[in-house]
Amino acid sequence: MGYHYSKTDGLTYIEIVKVFLYGLRMDASFAAYLCAFPFICFLLEGLLKNLRLSSLVNGYTFLLIPVVAALVTADLEMYNAWGYRLDATPLQYLNTPREMVASVSAAPVFLLTLVFLFLILFLGFVYQRIFRPVLEKKVNTTFTMGGKIVAFCFLVILIIPMRGGLQHIPINQSDVYFSNKLYANHAAVNLPWNVLYSLNRRNYAPKNPYKYMAMAQAQKYVDSLYTSPELPANGSNSILKSTRPNILFIILESNTAKLVGCLGGEPGVTPHLDQLARDGIIFTNIYAGGDRSEKGLVALLSGYPVQTTTSIIKLPRKTEHLPHLNQILKSQGYQTSYYYGGELAFANIKSYLLNAGYDRLISKFDFPANTYNSKWGVHDHVLLNRWLADLKTEKQPFFSTLFTLSSHEPYDVPIPAKFAGTDEATKFKNSMYYTDQSIGNFILAAKKQAWWKNTLIIMAADHGHRFPGDDPNFKPSKFRIPFLLTGGALKQAYPPVNTIGSQTDIVPTVLHQLHLPTEPFKWGKDLLNPAVKPFAFYVFNDGFGFVTPSGTITFDNISKQVISSDPAVPKQQLNYGKAYMELSFEDYLNK
């Protein structure tokens, strides 16, 4: 913060204090990892008489000091060049050292050298004068039995600061993100911890593993998918009474079309959603981009394709460059908020939401503990009741996103089971019924509010589910999800829309209705435009599926073979899927 004093000057004193306070957990986590080896050495000295490992600890310390000093020093200037904290990214440039050096060619080498030497000398001095004398005292360190037990307990307890506390989710960058000012969040990150975390996550793939054809050819295939005439403003596809309605976006955890009656699924599981579909407009052929919540969020809110074995949401420096529905609406004067009954730190979701600029984030920790379920957080009906109460005082127009969680395993719900059975598939079905009931009660109460007449409600799932039917990972039925529009802002009820589409199409479809630009959301199409090309693309672990009216083809990238293909699928459909996979992952790498 001293090195980047001009940026630090843009923070308030309170924000500067928060940088240190929020960053403290990550600092403690890194310190705990460093301490693991000395702790083991001290324990062994206590267990084995006459064993002296102090010289080993000395060597370990004097090796770490220059390594950490080098990382910290390099980060100071690389942040100027790249705009994000140092992570494992430089590893992809080791085979092109000239380009790597060029990116920091204007660095003040003399100043950075002084910083590096100062860190080494200062840390070395502190260790030599304060810690090493204690370490090397020639005293009998053999422990009593009680002492040995206590020493072992201390080693085990070290796991707590390593994972950042006793919370369900181990610490990640989201835990130190606290501000809409990106620099403040970056400053709170512990640099060596960030490097190790990035190395562990292997998110620095130097090459695109999905190179199936020349990039220009892949671009042609993908461009052809989005070639369709634009409908005129205020055209025949306008379904809203107003172009400035309040907007509520309900993201349904693990909601699968296989259990939604109005989509041909098992009847009786989602009666309220079925009624909402009749009152609004249901899209019957929508597919999730992936099979994880953090992937679905980015597809739903940023209209961005999903990656296979990783997710862009894990890298805040990449999500900073994503468009977001919240950003668009906030620029139009909307008050914005995000509600989730669990921990926002999960999978780095919090950093993604802060980068999106939500005015207010509500999570598990804003509720009393007696409202939690057995594992994840707040029951859906509690979350929806809080949402309803807060919306009564929200300034209009507002945009608020709510993410349910009760239909996430272990499917713990606070009502008697609707369907008999204790197997996992039945528990999941009961959890979907409970969430549907909670949403139905919310809608019933919302219709009595003054804001209802000018409110559009978007409902879509973050991903599908293997149940019922225990679908294999690649099967399209696992990815088919509900998407509907309802609310008082609709002119009337509409017949179902059968166009094949993806989660990435939802934001462009809504923005077209609001007469707002959709150019930043280049991976989506307007599902209410009858001229668009119907298709959906989804990914699973190192493979993809591509859906058109002809059917679905799925492909495994490891074996480089087709997994399944419907009889009417033309051979060229595989090329479209390969081109989409190649181009979308290349875009991810370049973010």
Side-chain angles (χ1 to χ4, degrees):
M1 294 179 75
Y3 191 87
H4 299 284
Y5 63 89
S6 60
K7 294 182 176 68
T8 305
D9 190 53
L11 304 180
T12 65
Y13 290 116
I14 297 298
E15 287 171 331
I16 291 174
V17 171
K18 285 184 175 181
V19 166
F20 289 93
L21 291 178
Y22 277 83
L24 193 59
R25 285 175 64 200
M26 191 174 284
D27 298 337
S29 177
F30 180 65
Y33 278 108
L34 293 188
C35 287
F37 179 74
F39 268 48
I40 292 171
C41 290
F42 299 150
L43 178 60
L44 291 175
E45 282 190 348
L47 296 176
L48 304 174
K49 192 173 183 179
N50 298 324
L51 180 65
R52 292 293 177 265
L53 298 177
S54 56
S55 59
L56 200 57
V57 175
N58 287 334
Y60 171 80
T61 303
F62 285 120
L63 176 65
L64 283 175
I65 286 175
V67 170
V68 172
L71 289 173
V72 171
T73 305
D75 172 66
L76 293 177
E77 190 57 32
M78 285 184 173
Y79 187 81
N80 276 334
W82 295 350
Y84 57 85
R85 300 302 298 274
L86 182 67
D87 57 14
T89 303
L91 294 179
Q92 63 183 293
Y93 301 111
L94 290 180
N95 60 337
T96 56
R98 288 186 180 180
E99 289 78 359
M100 185 175 180
V101 173
S103 66
V104 291
S105 57
V109 177
F110 180 73
L111 175 60
L112 292 173
T113 302
L114 288 180
V115 172
F116 174 67
L117 293 176
F118 170 77
L119 288 172
I120 290 178
L121 293 174
F122 175 73
L123 295 173
F125 174 81
V126 170
Y127 180 72
Q128 282 283 88
R129 295 296 299 269
I130 299 177
F131 295 101
R132 187 169 181 175
V134 177
L135 179 66
E136 295 187 341
K137 277 185 178 180
K138 301 300 181 182
V139 296
N140 182 8
T141 57
T142 303
F143 295 173
T144 64
M145 180 56 68
K148 293 174 183 178
I149 294 174
V150 170
F152 177 76
C153 289
F154 278 135
L155 183 61
V156 173
I157 290 172
L158 197 62
I159 294 172
I160 296 175
M162 281 181 179
R163 65 191 310 279
L166 295 171
Q167 74 285 350
H168 180 63
I169 306 297
I171 189 172
N172 58 39
Q173 290 100 325
S174 284
D175 288 297
V176 301
Y177 272 47
F178 67 94
S179 172
N180 288 330
K181 295 180 180 178
L182 197 58
Y183 172 72
N185 295 329
H186 287 170
V189 171
N190 180 285
L191 187 277
W193 185 98
N194 196 57
V195 173
L196 291 176
Y197 181 84
S198 181
L199 283 168
N200 183 54
R201 291 290 177 177
R202 298 294 193 271
N203 283 321
Y204 55 89
K207 296 181 180 179
N208 189 340
Y210 310 109
K211 295 286 285 186
Y212 304 113
M213 62 190 75
M215 192 62 67
Q217 183 63 37
Q219 188 71 59
K220 286 182 180 179
Y221 274 115
V222 174
D223 287 347
S224 69
L225 292 171
Y226 294 103
T227 302
S228 58
E230 288 283 337
L231 292 178
N234 300 313
S236 59
N237 73 332
S238 177
I239 63 173
L240 299 179
K241 300 173 184 175
S242 162
T243 59
R244 197 175 166 84
N246 304 310
I247 300 175
L248 300 180
F249 200 142
I250 301 176
I251 301 174
L252 303 166
E253 170 65 54
S254 305
N255 205 292
T256 173
K258 293 181 289 183
L259 291 178
V260 178
C262 61
L263 295 177
E266 185 175 334
V269 182
T270 59
H272 297 283
L273 193 150
D274 296 341
Q275 182 60 52
L276 292 173
R278 289 189 289 270
D279 295 339
I281 180 170
I282 183 77
F283 297 78
T284 62
N285 284 305
I286 304 302
Y287 292 82
D291 56 1
R292 299 291 301 172
S293 296
E294 68 272 17
K295 297 181 179 184
L297 277 180
V298 176
L300 289 168
L301 297 174
S302 293
Y304 195 72
V306 170
Q307 297 73 51
T308 53
T309 58
T310 185
S311 173
I312 194 171
I313 206 171
K314 296 178 181 178
L315 295 172
R317 65 174 178 81
K318 288 183 179 289
T319 58
E320 293 164 13
H321 304 292
L322 290 177
H324 199 290
L325 178 59
N326 184 75
Q327 293 170 344
I328 300 294
L329 295 178
K330 193 172 180 180
S331 70
Q332 298 298 312
Y334 279 72
Q335 299 296 306
T336 67
S337 57
Y338 184 96
Y339 285 70
Y340 180 52
E343 298 179 32
L344 290 176
F346 174 74
N348 251 346
I349 290 172
K350 184 181 177 184
S351 66
Y352 170 67
L353 299 175
L354 286 171
N355 286 339
Y358 278 96
D359 294 325
R360 191 172 72 255
L361 303 178
I362 302 298
S363 71
K364 167 183 178 178
F365 304 108
D366 295 295
F367 295 85
N370 62 4
T371 62
Y372 296 174
N373 63 22
S374 63
K375 184 176 182 181
W376 285 100
V378 180
H379 288 296
D380 284 348
H381 78 278
V382 176
L383 181 67
L384 285 158
N385 288 343
R386 166 69 182 270
W387 201 30
L388 181 67
D390 289 354
L391 290 173
K392 291 179 180 178
T393 58
E394 190 73 88
K395 181 181 177 182
Q396 299 185 52
F398 51 74
F399 168 61
S400 189
T401 306
L402 180 139
F403 191 1
T404 68
L405 61 66
S406 293
S407 48
H408 194 294
E409 63 265 28
Y411 318 120
D412 176 30
V413 296
I415 62 172
K418 170 69 174 179
F419 307 99
T422 58
D423 58 285
E424 190 176 0
T426 303
K427 288 181 178 179
F428 169 62
K429 184 162 64 172
N430 278 312
S431 71
M432 272 194 60
Y433 178 84
Y434 160 70
T435 295
D436 180 78
Q437 182 185 89
S438 300
I439 290 173
N441 292 336
F442 168 80
I443 296 294
L444 191 64
K447 287 181 177 180
K448 301 176 183 178
Q449 308 304 313
W451 46 260
W452 172 260
K453 292 183 179 180
N454 189 40
T455 297
L456 171 67
I457 296 180
I458 308 166
M459 294 179 63
D462 61 336
H463 54 79
H465 205 282
R466 64 188 180 99
F467 294 130
D470 200 13
D471 287 339
N473 204 30
F474 61 86
K475 194 172 181 180
S477 57
K478 179 184 175 184
F479 293 85
R480 186 164 166 255
I481 60 170
F483 163 44
L484 65 88
L485 301 175
T486 190
L490 290 183
K491 293 178 181 178
Q492 62 183 56
Y494 293 88
V497 175
N498 299 320
T499 303
I500 296 173
S502 300
Q503 288 173 322
T504 54
D505 300 325
I506 292 177
V507 169
T509 299
V510 172
L511 291 179
H512 272 291
Q513 291 298 313
L514 303 179
H515 301 160
L516 294 175
T518 61
E519 287 77 13
F521 304 91
K522 65 178 184 178
W523 298 96
K525 57 185 180 289
D526 179 8
L527 294 169
L528 290 173
N529 182 347
V532 297
K533 293 186 177 179
F535 77 93
F537 175 86
Y538 63 82
V539 300
F540 44 90
N541 192 46
D542 236 335
F544 67 82
F546 198 80
V547 188
T548 70
S550 299
T552 303
I553 188 168
T554 59
F555 182 80
D556 174 38
N557 186 64
I558 298 175
S559 65
K560 301 293 189 292
Q561 292 181 349
V562 171
I563 302 172
S564 64
S565 179
D566 291 333
V569 169
K571 291 183 179 180
Q572 197 175 25
Q573 186 164 317
L574 179 61
N575 291 335
Y576 279 98
K578 286 181 174 180
Y580 203 99
M581 172 72 96
E582 178 176 336
L583 209 62
S584 63
F585 200 83
E586 189 72 21
D587 191 88
Y588 157 77
L589 290 176
N590 292 332
K591 274 284 185 281

